Amino acid sequence: MSKVHVKVDDTVYVLTGKDAGKTGKVLAVHPKTGRVIVEGVAVSTVHKRPRRAGEPGGIIHVEAAIDASNVMVVCDKCKRPSKLGKRFDNNGQKVRYCKACGETVSTVGLAKK
Ligand SMILES: [Zn+2]
């Protein structure tokens, strides 16, 4: 089990850093380092030079990984940054639930399509 409490496609709220207060979608999770990449958060600007004619140069934005402990999952039911718990639903399936409103957030360990 990884210690990272967020998953790709989760919407998270940033607690600390220059982007504190922002929300964004999780683009990638690195369980080994406990870091996540969040859309629009910790963006650094990279000036890219066109290497050959016709190639577009200019400025591109790259999201840096931030520590997963700096974000909270935003509950898709009550729309608040929430602590999540885990429990089994009526079908015996392990699910994550929002400790604020008690609603199930999403399933754990299932391939999401
Ligand atoms: Zn909730």
Side-chain angles (χ1 to χ4, degrees), residues 3-109:
K3 60 185 171 155
V4 182
H5 63 291
V6 298
K7 299 198 302 179
V8 171
D9 282 345
D10 277 348
T11 298
V12 295
Y13 175 84
V14 181
L15 299 169
T16 56
K18 74 177 169 79
D19 291 314
K22 275 191 190 175
T23 56
K25 200 172 84 168
V26 175
L27 300 175
V29 175
H30 304 294
K32 278 182 185 160
T33 55
R35 293 170 88 79
V36 296
I37 293 177
V38 183
E39 192 171 42
V41 171
V43 173
S44 55
T45 307
V46 177
H47 295 266
K48 196 179 169 220
R49 202 174 299 179
R51 264 171 290 178
R52 63 187 106 111
E55 198 182 72
I59 297 166
I60 57 167
H61 300 285
V62 179
E63 280 100 350
I66 59 171
D67 202 282
S69 64
N70 293 337
V71 302
M72 282 181 90
V73 176
V74 176
C75 171
D76 54 2
K77 302 294 191 312
C78 64
K79 310 291 179 197
R80 281 183 289 175
S82 310
K83 282 195 171 153
L84 301 183
K86 284 178 187 175
R87 67 184 176 197
F88 292 93
D89 69 7
N90 295 334
N91 302 319
Q93 208 163 66
K94 201 174 188 185
V95 295
R96 299 187 303 176
Y97 72 98
C98 167
K99 286 184 176 175
C101 69
E103 292 289 334
T104 296
V105 173
S106 67
T107 54
V108 171

